[in-house]
Amino acid sequence: MSANFSALFYLISGILFILALRGLSSPETSRQGNYFGIAGMIISIIVTFLSVGNFGAGFIYVLIFLVIGGSIGAFIAFRIPMTAMPELVAGFHSLVGLAAVFVAISAFLKPEAFNLGVVGNIKLASLIEMSLGAAIGAITFSGSIIAFLKLRGIMSGAPITFKGQHLINLLLGITTLFLIYYLCSTQSSNIFWSIVIISFIIGVLLIIPIGGADMPVVISMLNSYSGWAAAGIGFTLENSALIITGALVGSSGAILSYIMCKGMNRSFFNVILGGWGATDQSSSSQSKEEKPVKSGNADDAAFLMKNASSVIIVPGYGMAVAQAQHALREMVDGLKKNGVKVSYAIHPVAGRMPGHMNVLLAEANVPYDEVFELEEINNDFANCDVAYVIGANDVTNPVAKSDPQSPIFGMPVLDVEKSKSVLFVKRSLSPGYAGIDNDLFYRENTLMLFADAKKMTEEIVKSL
């Protein structure tokens, strides 16, 4: 395929990726956005194959590995439960970073295969591009692995900090930049490998001090890193589709990270720099006092909601763990038959990744016009008869508005406590992912429903 045709089709795939991002910005158009993304990727792969020309014997190996990788990806996608989606995203980000590292290594060891020069005399621009791509890719890989381990529960979700941590991160970052400069002068393989190894270490050190409550920000941040790594390698390979795709992923991930930080009252630079200035959540766990708690059962909850004029549902990670979204939809249908107005309130960081609750509700075919973001619905709680909190914790904690010492102080939360009655479905009084007690448990208008979210919701459906 000629260079002109390749450029044209790469441009078409780039436009499709832009349309995909536009579609994914709203639940109503997300399916269409996915189709645009799939079409753009198929075009990019086909054009890349046709552009390479004569693969020789290697063509068969490339096809074999494509089939193996595609089959593994399809198998995981079909089998993965929605509750494990955050760690799946983190795992896939790690693979993008690792791919960037492998391509950079290949380009450095065999530059003539990529028309970059010869060993010891690689083009300066290409050397900068591949070293940056390798560094960002290595940081993305090791950082994503740590995020995966934290989300999976294999590693503690609490921040892991030590004295002089930020100084070490700063020194390693400066060292990496210096080594890239030195690599351009010497083209030494030892320097190149040093850049890769140090970048792997930086990725670990950046993510371990970030607590579980900040994981939605980490996921979007690593998404951004993977995009910039791909864009850097795209310049090395002189592949416009990879440059466009990487830049889109990198910039959209950075914007999403900023939105997530704003939604959690976190400093964007704090998170990027590995939790710089973040509050130590482990030290903020309060010693529990004996506080009065009112508990109820499914019959109590059904009576309150059936006699209400308006109910607001507040879903959280507990709903995801229990897979209660379908039972919740059934409960809401029953309430609507009784003339109750029902809506859903979504906090931007509910769950373990951006849009987690929206995905779960869409899976249960909840109408999009009933789902509202925090800014749209927060004022409605004051006029609401019943707020049904199902598995949400930190995002409903009034302490965020009253206790300056709290690690979530200043974080925008849903004003659930302003409702006439609050039904809080939770297994126990244990703290949320931020590691702090929820003051909402002990409010006069709160009725705790201690049970598995799905089981409790199903029992309410029977009572209705």
Side-chain angles (χ1 to χ4, degrees), residues 82 85-87 89 151 215-216 219 260 348-357 359:
M82 285 305 301
M85 192 60 71
E87 51 258 47
V89 172
L151 289 165
M215 271 302 145
I219 292 294
M260 292 291 103
V349 294
R352 294 295 174 269
M353 70 175 186
H356 200 176
M357 295 303 104
V359 173

Side-chain angles (χ1 to χ4, degrees), residues 298-299 302 306 327 330-331 454-464:
D299 291 333
K306 190 174 183 179
E330 189 178 355
M331 184 191 82
K454 183 178 181 181
K455 184 178 179 182
M456 174 56 71
T457 307
E458 288 174 341
E459 289 178 359
I460 292 174
V461 171
K462 293 177 183 177
S463 296
L464 286 173

Side-chain angles (χ1 to χ4, degrees), residues 81-83 318-327 360 363 452-454:
M82 285 305 301
T83 49
M319 183 189 76
V321 172
Q323 286 290 281
Q325 61 269 26
H326 296 285
L360 289 170
E363 183 189 346
D452 172 82
K454 183 178 181 181

